[in-house]
Amino acid sequence: MQPERSQQMTEFAEKVRERAGIDNAEEADQLSRACAQVLGETISGGQAENLALQLPDELGAELAAQRGQASSFDKAQFLEKVGGKIFSVDTDRVERQVAAVFATIRETTRKGELDDTLAQLPPELTEMFDREKA
């Protein structure tokens, strides 16, 4: 059973669901949380905390919980880690879905804060934030 979601998280997951072509909100919620967890492992703790303030509380908590030493993941590793959390081995599908979450994060976040986050990611991941629709 899914925990209750805030209105902000419900709206975020719905945008992800529409962009990614996912059938239900629970799957979009799980995907969004998985992306936040892995993104939190990829950026510095301070940046994770700053970005967390821009996102729904549920995603902010997932993001900030991973703070510590940032690990450098390339795109393939990032997608593999997210795929493992959502139990998907279809890399193309995971990539489209992650791009949908990233587009929703981009839409939700102040530009300066997003720029600070993108500066800590490899170019192949930052490009995924620029895809308008998965």
Side-chain angles (χ1 to χ4, degrees), residues 1-123:
M1 186 170 164
Q2 274 296 97
E4 245 185 85
R5 290 191 297 262
S6 68
Q7 183 64 31
Q8 190 181 18
M9 183 62 196
T10 299
E11 291 170 4
F12 188 97
E14 180 59 24
K15 289 176 183 177
V16 169
R17 188 193 69 72
E18 289 173 6
R19 280 187 166 114
I22 294 173
D23 292 333
N24 62 64
E26 289 77 23
E27 189 178 338
D29 182 286
Q30 291 173 334
L31 170 66
S32 299
R33 290 172 190 261
C35 286
Q37 290 169 3
V38 179
L39 188 59
E41 296 173 21
T42 310
I43 59 178
S44 70
Q47 187 56 39
E49 289 176 6
N50 292 341
L51 183 60
L53 296 172
Q54 304 280 315
L55 299 174
D57 290 344
E58 296 89 337
L59 293 184
E62 297 287 353
L63 188 68
Q66 305 305 316
R67 69 178 179 259
Q69 284 296 93
S71 301
S72 180
F73 299 132
D74 65 18
K75 180 177 163 184
Q77 292 169 312
F78 192 97
L79 296 175
E80 183 179 321
K81 288 182 85 60
V82 171
K85 292 179 182 299
I86 62 170
F87 308 108
S88 178
V89 294
D90 183 343
T91 306
D92 292 336
R93 179 175 181 234
V94 173
E95 183 173 349
R96 287 189 307 272
Q97 291 178 338
V98 168
V101 174
F102 283 178
T104 307
I105 289 173
R106 185 188 69 232
E107 181 180 281
T108 307
T109 307
R110 281 188 0 259
K111 181 170 177 10
E113 202 59 62
L114 184 61
D115 289 345
D116 292 346
T117 299
L118 296 178
Q120 295 186 21
L121 299 175

